[in-house]
Amino acid sequence: MAAAAAGPGERRGWLGREADTSLLAFLLGASVAALQVALDSPSELLDAPGLRGRLALALHVAGVNATLLPFSPLHPPCSQIAVRACFLGFAFGCGLLLSTSRSAWCYFGWYMCSLSLFHYSEYLVTAVNNPRSLSLDSFLLNHSFEYNLAALSSWVEFTLEKLLFPELKQITWLSTVGLLMVIFGDCLRKAAMLTAGSNFNHIVQNEKSDTHTLVTNGVYGWFRHPSYVGWFYWSIGTQVLLCNPICVVGYALASWRFFRERIEEEEITLIHFFGEEYLEYKRKVPSGLPFIKGVKVEL
């Protein structure tokens, strides 16, 4: 998505202070996955944790909290960044543990890795790419009530179907297809963010800045809205991965409707910003989403 942005923000550290903080916190949380090496088996942590497993998790959580504690009084904003990134890293690490276990929850581990990495990378890419638009909302953890409800619904469906129809959750080829959709969708979205650079913003902009340009190269030469195309297939892919038939249909319909309305809203703004230049681009390049042509322009 194209949006207005000012010049590059102040950068401190390797990637920038916020990006460095988030990356270190994410890796710190993800280090829970290393506990399986110490215990020789992830099952001691997740399937039926014994005394060693509980003790290892307790020590890890205590160590993480002790490491994050200094951020609080010194840099409150960095503390909030670190807590969110560490939480996502912990979810990613637990997902890795599930993915490498022999548990029936193996594919849910794939899902946990996909979900946590998606949200964390949204923040990290924004921090590196367009730091002036960066905020805690860049994690997209509070995207909307509907988004959170959709995620909860997928967890409930997976759990219930796993209990009632366990064989439905063991279709390896289908989960693999879902994982490939997730990887493709997330990579396409991040490629769009990086290609757009400072023109990308999570919020549709209503005013054109001096630095706002129309991006038509790279993945924007394939689709007019590659970030939306990526998110669309990523979201559906998460449910294919979980073998959730109800949520596959629900996610597809809800995502299609959301992006149809979002694209029409955004294209009205882009036509206002760029006029004939955008109309010419619109005629040449498809939106990328099925049966969505964007805003209709009457001549």
Side-chain angles (χ1 to χ4, degrees):
M1 128 179 152
E10 182 182 2
R11 300 176 63 87
R12 296 178 182 175
W14 181 44
L15 297 174
R17 187 174 67 183
E18 291 81 2
D20 289 348
T21 298
S22 71
L23 183 57
L24 291 173
F26 181 84
L27 294 175
L28 181 64
S31 65
V32 68
L35 293 181
Q36 70 173 339
V37 178
L39 296 177
D40 299 324
S41 172
S43 62
E44 292 194 48
L45 283 170
L46 301 173
D47 295 342
L51 179 59
R52 285 207 311 161
R54 293 191 183 95
L55 181 59
L57 280 174
L59 289 174
H60 180 271
V61 172
V64 167
N65 283 318
T67 304
L68 293 179
L69 191 60
F71 283 105
S72 301
L74 297 177
H75 302 289
C78 285
S79 174
Q80 297 179 59
I81 294 168
V83 168
R84 287 163 174 76
C86 188
F87 167 75
L88 291 171
F90 186 80
F92 181 81
C94 289
L96 286 179
L97 288 173
L98 280 175
S99 300
T100 56
S101 72
R102 296 179 182 179
S103 166
W105 291 82
C106 171
Y107 299 131
F108 195 83
W110 292 10
Y111 167 81
M112 287 179 64
C113 289
S114 303
L115 185 66
S116 56
L117 191 59
F118 172 82
H119 283 283
Y120 173 66
S121 59
E122 286 289 308
Y123 182 88
L124 181 63
V125 173
T126 303
V128 174
N129 210 38
N130 189 11
R132 283 197 178 274
S133 70
L134 189 66
S135 71
L136 292 175
D137 290 341
S138 300
F139 283 106
L140 297 184
L141 291 173
N142 58 341
H143 180 271
S144 66
F145 172 77
E146 292 78 9
Y147 181 83
N148 294 333
L149 182 62
L152 180 61
S153 299
S154 72
W155 305 342
V156 171
E157 180 183 353
F158 181 88
T159 303
L160 291 177
E161 289 175 352
K162 177 181 175 295
L163 294 174
L164 299 174
F165 314 105
E167 66 281 355
L168 179 63
K169 302 304 179 184
Q170 297 299 315
I171 308 176
T172 302
W173 70 267
L174 187 59
S175 290
T176 302
V177 170
L179 181 62
L180 292 175
M181 290 177 65
V182 163
I183 293 172
F184 165 77
D186 202 7
C187 287
L188 178 60
R189 179 168 171 82
K190 297 312 183 291
M193 294 173 69
L194 290 169
T195 301
S198 63
N199 290 281
F200 187 93
N201 197 303
H202 283 114
I203 300 174
V204 176
Q205 303 296 288
N206 295 317
E207 296 182 4
K208 183 175 181 292
S209 75
D210 294 337
T211 60
H212 196 176
T213 59
L214 180 64
V215 181
T216 60
N217 61 303
V219 291
Y220 286 87
W222 306 347
F223 314 117
R224 294 199 309 275
H225 303 278
S227 66
Y228 294 159
V229 175
W231 198 344
F232 178 77
Y233 287 108
W234 174 86
S235 66
I236 298 173
T238 61
Q239 301 312 299
V240 175
L241 188 160
L242 291 175
C243 300
N244 280 352
I246 297 175
C247 280
V248 165
V249 176
Y251 271 51
L253 293 176
S255 296
W256 185 88
R257 181 177 179 180
F258 171 79
F259 287 123
R260 181 194 63 182
E261 296 174 354
R262 184 69 174 260
I263 284 174
E264 289 180 356
E265 175 190 356
E266 185 174 314
E267 290 197 338
I268 291 174
T269 301
L270 290 170
I271 291 171
H272 175 69
F273 284 179
F274 301 107
E276 185 59 35
E277 183 183 3
Y278 186 79
L279 291 175
E280 180 64 21
Y281 173 61
K282 186 177 185 298
R283 284 190 286 267
K284 293 180 179 180
V285 181
S287 71
L289 291 168
F291 309 109
I292 295 179
K293 296 183 178 180
V295 66
K296 294 182 181 179
V297 181
E298 297 182 2
L299 301 177

